[in-house]
Amino acid sequence: MSLRSFITIVASPRPRVGKTLVARLLADFHLHNGRSIAAFDINGDDTALTQFMPQHSAPADVTEIHGQMALFDRLVADDGSYKVVDLGHPAFKTFFDVAKQIDVAAEVRRRGLAVVVLFIVTPDATSVEAYAELRRSLLQAAVVPVHNEILGVAQHRDKFAAFGSAAMPIQIAALAPGLRKVIDRRPFSFADASGAAPADIPLEMHMELQRWLRKIYVEFRQMELRVLLSDLTRSLGEPRSNQI
């Protein structure tokens, strides 16, 4: 079975770890590659992703059954789009509990969709336990640790060991404060920043931003290739009667 698109959930049980930034980067990475995307902003009243990407993102709700059904129906829809979920910490447990209850993993596997969780790591016990639980419960997904350098030098990588060849860590380098202010302006687009320098950004800053983006896009591309290779290896090892 060949994977047709990705569902990527950017998540952390902790607030203010750069989760929405990673979701923005991933969504613009897909746009940069000419892909159709659908992004879901599960952050309650803080709809930052939707404000940055109003044409591609919309708020979603998992606090009640109707919202849960609408969201997961969209996620598993085999419509050719790449799905990006910006999962806020208040909805972290509910989202994954519902996903497990309705066995989303089996459905997306049947439809040839890859599921990846980009888990923003922090050294606290809450994050360590949540990461371990996702590894145990999401056997069909790649749970990928993401180290955001803006949170400080990572001294806790041993607490977030990669699980399988598809889940090697991703590194998000810290930006200079001046550039960070630029990308935090809404609705700033990384896809636009990949081209000619905007009039309001000095050329040197624009070039630095492009170098930063290229490194992150390479990380995302390598992550996708690892997931595809892992899926191919697993498919080749399955009995023919079980292959779709």
Side-chain angles (χ1 to χ4, degrees):
M1 174 177 57
S2 61
L3 296 174
R4 293 188 287 277
S5 66
F6 281 62
I7 301 170
T8 308
I9 303 139
V10 185
S12 169
R14 307 299 296 172
R16 304 185 65 81
V17 295
K19 175 182 51 58
T20 296
L21 171 62
V22 175
R24 289 170 54 202
L25 286 164
L26 181 65
D28 275 322
F29 164 75
H30 291 317
L31 293 173
H32 179 74
N33 284 281
R35 298 165 174 173
S36 172
I37 68 165
F40 304 88
D41 194 342
I42 313 178
N43 286 280
D45 295 332
D46 183 15
T47 56
L49 182 64
T50 302
Q51 294 175 46
F52 277 109
M53 312 188 73
Q55 295 181 328
H56 302 286
S57 178
D61 181 26
V62 293
T63 59
E64 45 85 27
I65 293 178
H66 178 74
Q68 294 168 3
M69 293 176 61
L71 171 63
F72 284 101
D73 282 348
R74 287 289 313 279
L75 286 179
V76 302
D78 189 7
D79 55 11
S81 64
Y82 284 67
K83 316 295 190 349
V84 177
V85 178
D86 181 9
L87 179 60
H89 68 282
F92 182 94
K93 186 176 187 305
T94 300
F95 178 90
F96 287 114
D97 283 349
V98 173
K100 185 175 181 180
Q101 290 168 10
I102 63 179
D103 201 5
V104 169
E107 182 62 21
V108 297
R109 176 71 179 168
R110 185 181 69 81
R111 299 188 184 202
L113 308 175
V115 179
V116 177
V117 179
L118 297 185
F119 188 100
I120 317 298
V121 303
T122 53
D124 54 279
T126 298
S127 291
V128 173
E129 292 168 6
Y131 179 80
E133 175 57 30
L134 289 181
R135 283 181 48 177
R136 287 191 295 267
S137 60
L138 299 181
L139 298 179
Q140 303 257 12
V143 182
V144 180
V146 178
H147 299 279
N148 185 357
E149 285 187 356
I150 201 172
L151 301 176
V153 178
Q155 301 292 338
H156 47 272
R157 297 189 178 188
D158 58 327
K159 299 178 181 178
F160 298 92
F163 183 61
S165 59
M168 299 301 294
I170 288 176
Q171 192 84 15
I172 305 295
L175 269 178
L179 264 177
R180 186 59 191 249
K181 290 181 180 179
V182 169
I183 69 171
D184 283 344
R185 298 174 192 163
R186 304 177 188 185
F188 180 88
S189 169
F190 291 114
D192 294 341
S194 298
D200 59 341
I201 301 179
L203 179 60
E204 295 81 4
M205 292 180 67
H206 178 68
M207 292 176 64
E208 181 182 348
L209 179 59
Q210 286 191 317
R211 287 193 293 269
W212 182 74
L213 277 175
R214 282 196 294 270
K215 290 179 182 178
I216 295 172
Y217 285 0
V218 167
E219 296 252 18
F220 288 154
R221 171 61 69 190
Q222 291 176 340
M223 178 268 292
E224 287 188 340
L225 292 175
R226 287 192 295 266
V227 171
L228 292 170
L229 180 59
S230 177
D231 180 78
L232 176 61
T233 302
R234 179 169 51 189
S235 297
L236 291 175
E238 292 176 352
R240 291 187 178 276
S241 59
N242 292 339
Q243 296 186 24
I244 297 176

